[in-house]
């Protein structure tokens, strides 16, 4: 290992030396996660949610499922707060998702059947199965 690409970090923990060896893979600067106080520059994904009937609530259900499954983390490796996940997806898709919980609650109050609530997920599974069956 080239010494120019290696850094030794020696610290004491409770009187015991701890050695950490860090190997630099590249001279290119690593991307850093911006702090929560920093604002990201304006960014346009160029992606818009389909106008298909029911797509907005289906997308809300999909995003909420990602949150329930702890699929998304913040810059510190903790579970990303639901409201931040919805803000990010809203920005990506050019839609306001700030009232996602009201939308989810409304579908529950309207006695929407579980069959109807999960129809989009079955369509997703069917699309994947069809795709893999073609290979």
């Amino acid at each position: 290992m080239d010494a120019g690409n290696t850094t030794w970090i020696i610290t004491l923990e409770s009187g015991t030396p701890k050695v950490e060896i860090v190997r630099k893979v590249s001279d290119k600067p690593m991307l850093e996660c911006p702090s929560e106080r920093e604002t990201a520059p304006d960014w346009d994904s160029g992606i818009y949610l389909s106008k298909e009937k029911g797509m907005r609530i289906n997308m809300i259900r999909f995003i909420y499922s990602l949150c329930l499954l702890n699929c998304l983390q913040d810059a510190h490796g903790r579970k990303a707060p639901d409201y931040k996940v919805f803000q990010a997806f809203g920005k990506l898709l050019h839609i306001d998702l700030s009232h996602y919980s009201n939308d989810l609650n409304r579908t529950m109050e309207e006695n929407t059947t579980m069959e109807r609530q999960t129809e989009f997920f079955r369509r997703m599974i069917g699309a994947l199965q069809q795709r893999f069956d073609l290979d």
Side-chain angles (χ1 to χ4, degrees):
M1 209 184 290
D2 181 353
N5 287 338
T6 306
T7 303
W8 292 58
I9 301 171
I10 302 171
T11 57
L12 285 177
E13 287 186 10
S14 303
T16 306
K18 177 183 172 190
V19 178
E20 183 179 349
I21 302 171
V22 180
R23 183 170 182 259
K24 185 170 46 172
V25 177
S26 170
D27 287 329
K28 294 180 182 177
M30 294 178 63
L31 296 176
E32 294 182 13
C33 295
S35 73
E36 294 190 20
R37 284 181 256 133
E38 293 178 16
T39 57
D42 285 336
W43 174 75
D44 183 352
S45 67
I47 299 171
Y48 296 81
L49 186 65
S50 166
K51 303 274 187 220
E52 179 184 335
K53 183 179 181 194
M55 188 55 67
R56 184 176 187 283
I57 191 63
N58 285 335
M59 186 57 61
I60 289 172
R61 289 178 183 132
F62 171 75
I63 297 166
Y64 188 60
S65 296
L66 293 176
C67 294
L68 291 174
L69 294 170
N70 297 323
C71 292
L72 306 165
Q73 297 180 343
D74 66 12
H76 306 288
R78 297 181 300 243
K79 180 185 183 301
D82 294 357
Y83 77 93
K84 285 194 172 193
V85 172
F86 278 91
Q87 282 176 346
F89 273 95
K91 185 171 183 173
L92 171 74
L93 299 171
H94 298 90
I95 56 176
D96 178 12
L97 295 175
S98 59
H99 301 290
Y100 70 92
S101 60
N102 293 343
D103 295 326
L104 287 170
N105 289 335
R106 189 174 62 248
T107 63
M108 297 296 188
E109 291 167 3
E110 294 171 350
N111 295 321
T112 305
T113 64
M114 186 54 67
E115 180 80 15
R116 180 77 177 117
Q117 297 259 7
T118 58
E119 177 186 348
F120 182 67
F121 295 100
R122 285 191 305 283
R123 286 175 44 203
M124 289 173 61
I125 292 168
L128 285 172
Q129 286 174 333
Q130 182 180 11
R131 172 66 177 105
F132 289 119
D133 287 345
L134 295 176
D135 287 344

